[in-house]
Amino acid sequence: MTVLTTFLGRFCADAGRDPFIQIGDASHSARLFFCLVGSSSKARKGTSAQPVKKLFNFKELDPSYKSARFSPGPLSSGEGLVWAIHDEVKEWNTKKQIWEITTPEAKDKRLFVLDQEFASAIKSIERRGNTLSMVIRQAYDGGRIEPLTKNNKISASNHHIIIVTHITLAEL
């Protein structure tokens, strides 16, 4: 089951946000967030990614294939997650009186996070001022994410984040 779950997450990440299902007035892309819960060293959570990595190694077959970006985690802050799929950053140039792009947007807004220690994300969420929980919920909804920060304003739009994470029942 863990291999299948990891496969579904990776497949949805590579598919991107274009395939969707219409439910009422809303369209829903295949954004899946999984938390695999199992015994330590017995449930094979940690090894579930190996067969999936082999399946999605398309570079050998087609060098032009662009798979979604991959991050092994850990999930630590909302701003960190937004930065991984950020929009371009502009600053006002007072001399030229124009907006200038200081940081280009992330090249690929598809992100597959395989965080094998969800307990660390839970600990991070407990830190005062941490926005990880809220940003994960916004990312699941698929809309624009723009944490209101005092400095270093960032945002993310047109993103497609998939999260597969692991934890033991005792930690959960």
Side-chain angles (χ1 to χ4, degrees):
M1 188 64 127
T2 57
V3 174
L4 177 60
T5 304
T6 304
F7 171 82
L8 283 173
R10 179 61 192 268
F11 177 81
C12 290
D14 277 16
R17 59 184 286 132
D18 291 338
F20 67 91
I21 186 169
Q22 193 72 31
I23 301 174
D25 293 339
S27 59
H28 296 271
S29 295
R31 272 185 299 280
L32 303 176
F33 290 11
F34 293 112
C35 183
L36 303 175
V37 181
S39 301
S40 185
S41 78
K42 291 183 180 147
R44 300 293 176 234
K45 301 178 309 292
T47 59
S48 65
Q50 296 312 315
V52 175
K53 286 179 183 177
K54 288 179 184 175
L55 276 173
F56 281 85
N57 188 11
F58 296 126
K59 285 286 186 193
E60 294 174 6
L61 300 173
D62 182 2
S64 67
Y65 180 76
K66 301 261 191 265
S67 62
R69 291 184 45 228
F70 170 79
S71 173
L75 295 165
S76 61
S77 73
E79 291 81 7
L81 188 55
V82 172
W83 185 253
I85 43 106
H86 68 277
D87 293 336
E88 66 184 13
V89 178
K90 295 180 181 180
E91 288 185 14
W92 181 251
N93 183 322
T94 53
K95 290 183 181 180
K96 296 180 183 178
Q97 294 293 299
I98 58 169
W99 286 99
E100 292 182 332
I101 298 172
T102 57
T103 306
E105 76 175 355
K107 290 181 182 175
D108 192 347
K109 299 289 192 99
R110 299 172 303 152
L111 177 63
F112 178 63
V113 179
L114 180 63
D115 180 4
Q116 297 186 353
E117 292 298 333
F118 188 55
S120 68
I122 292 172
K123 287 287 184 199
S124 294
I125 289 168
E126 292 173 354
R127 285 194 319 252
R128 183 180 172 144
N130 191 298
T131 60
L132 181 60
S133 177
M134 287 76 71
V135 167
I136 286 175
R137 287 195 297 275
Q138 283 184 298
Y140 183 79
D141 291 339
R144 182 177 173 84
I145 307 170
E146 192 170 9
L148 296 174
T149 55
K150 184 175 176 182
N151 299 312
N152 302 324
K153 307 259 187 251
I154 56 172
S155 64
S157 56
N158 300 318
H159 55 82
H160 189 69
I161 300 171
I162 308 297
I163 300 172
V164 176
T165 187
H166 304 168
I167 194 167
T168 64
L169 187 57
E171 290 174 313
L172 186 61

